Amino acid sequence: MLKCLAACALAAALCFCGGALIKGYYMYRAAIEEVCLEDKVSAIQAKENYTAFDQLPEIYVDAVLSVEDHRFYSHPGIDVIAIARAAFNDIRAGAFVEGGSTVTQQLAKNLYFTQEKELERKVAEMFLAFDLERSYSKNEILELYVNTIYFGNGYYCVGDASQGYFGKEPEDMTDYESTLLAGVPNAPSCYAPTVSPRLAAQRQAQVVARMVKCGYFTEERAHETLAAEIDW
């Protein structure tokens, strides 16, 4: 009896996943047929405050990758390890509590899709992530990503955020400013420094701790960075 129930559950799960895969593929096809990827990218690059990769401080890049996608330069657009971990946590919680999305998948979402956590949309993201990885270099993908994320206060790219929060170009950001800004997109309504300096500082501390864990910072440099607090 138990074996029969297990077999039925497995069959139902496979049917559900197969249906989501098909629907996700058609969602992906509909999206790129409406506006091709090259046109989407060109529109982003035409932004007034678009920031090129070589204008980003190395510390800012390291901070973003530490908290968003530390295997970015080694995966093909999706991170199987992160997806498996997220799936396990989601199943345990009985809800979508962890995404497992790479920077490439997040860029795909920002270019074409809504923020709703639907399985079909996640599948469509994966197809688009593969397209992005085939068409653009890793640095170009990361460059596009930081020019399409929301930083709070109406700032929708790193250039606007750097100017708005610090009054300077991204390339001139200090280690303190870089690590602070890298933490904001996770929850801009909470972590924007002009909304809550306390929560922004707590998030920044998490970013710096991840940088230490990922090998980008020593403990000493982490302490020095966080000690350089500025007034808001």
Side-chain angles (χ1 to χ4, degrees):
M1 181 66 176
L2 289 175
K3 288 183 178 180
C4 182
L5 288 173
C8 290
L10 178 60
L14 290 173
C15 288
F16 176 75
C17 291
L21 183 65
I22 294 171
K23 290 179 181 178
Y25 175 76
Y26 282 116
M27 183 183 293
Y28 150 75
R29 290 299 308 174
I32 61 172
E33 286 172 6
E34 183 176 352
V35 182
C36 71
L37 181 57
E38 292 77 10
D39 287 349
K40 281 282 189 179
V41 168
S42 295
I44 298 301
Q45 292 171 332
K47 283 184 175 181
E48 184 179 353
N49 286 336
Y50 186 84
T51 303
F53 181 82
D54 60 9
Q55 295 173 304
L56 298 171
E58 183 178 354
I59 294 303
Y60 175 71
V61 171
D62 293 342
V64 170
L65 294 182
S66 293
V67 291
E68 296 295 340
D69 187 358
H70 72 279
R71 284 184 286 269
F72 175 69
Y73 282 101
S74 61
H75 65 60
I78 64 171
D79 186 340
V80 176
I81 296 173
I83 290 173
R85 182 189 66 242
F88 174 79
N89 290 333
D90 289 346
I91 291 170
R92 186 171 60 179
F96 283 114
V97 296
E98 187 174 337
S101 293
T102 64
V103 160
T104 314
Q105 287 174 269
Q106 291 181 60
L107 173 60
K109 177 182 65 180
N110 293 342
L111 290 175
Y112 282 97
F113 303 115
T114 68
Q115 302 296 315
E116 294 179 10
K117 293 182 177 180
E118 299 176 348
L119 187 56
E120 291 85 356
R121 193 264 292 162
K122 297 291 289 183
V123 171
E125 273 180 24
M126 287 192 286
F127 282 113
L128 268 164
F130 292 138
D131 279 356
L132 283 163
E133 293 276 346
R134 281 194 298 267
S135 303
Y136 301 94
S137 70
K138 287 288 188 178
N139 288 354
E140 287 172 330
I141 290 170
L142 186 55
E143 174 183 300
L144 289 164
Y145 171 72
V146 299
N147 281 281
T148 58
I149 49 180
Y150 184 53
F151 292 87
N153 274 26
Y155 306 137
Y156 285 89
C157 65
V158 66
D160 287 345
S162 179
Q163 285 282 0
Y165 289 128
F166 313 126
K168 58 179 67 173
E169 297 296 332
E171 60 190 327
D172 297 322
M173 288 193 297
T174 63
D175 289 0
Y176 180 89
E177 292 162 344
S178 293
T179 53
L180 180 70
L181 196 61
V184 174
N186 181 257
S189 61
C190 298
Y191 299 138
T194 50
V195 172
S196 175
R198 179 181 61 84
L199 291 178
Q202 289 177 0
R203 175 59 178 166
Q204 181 185 23
Q206 294 174 350
V207 172
V208 171
R210 279 292 301 167
M211 293 181 74
V212 172
K213 187 173 183 179
C214 293
Y216 293 117
F217 262 4
T218 62
E219 290 283 358
E220 181 180 4
R221 188 170 183 184
H223 289 305
E224 290 174 351
T225 297
L226 294 176
E229 187 175 356
I230 58 179
D231 295 326
W232 293 101

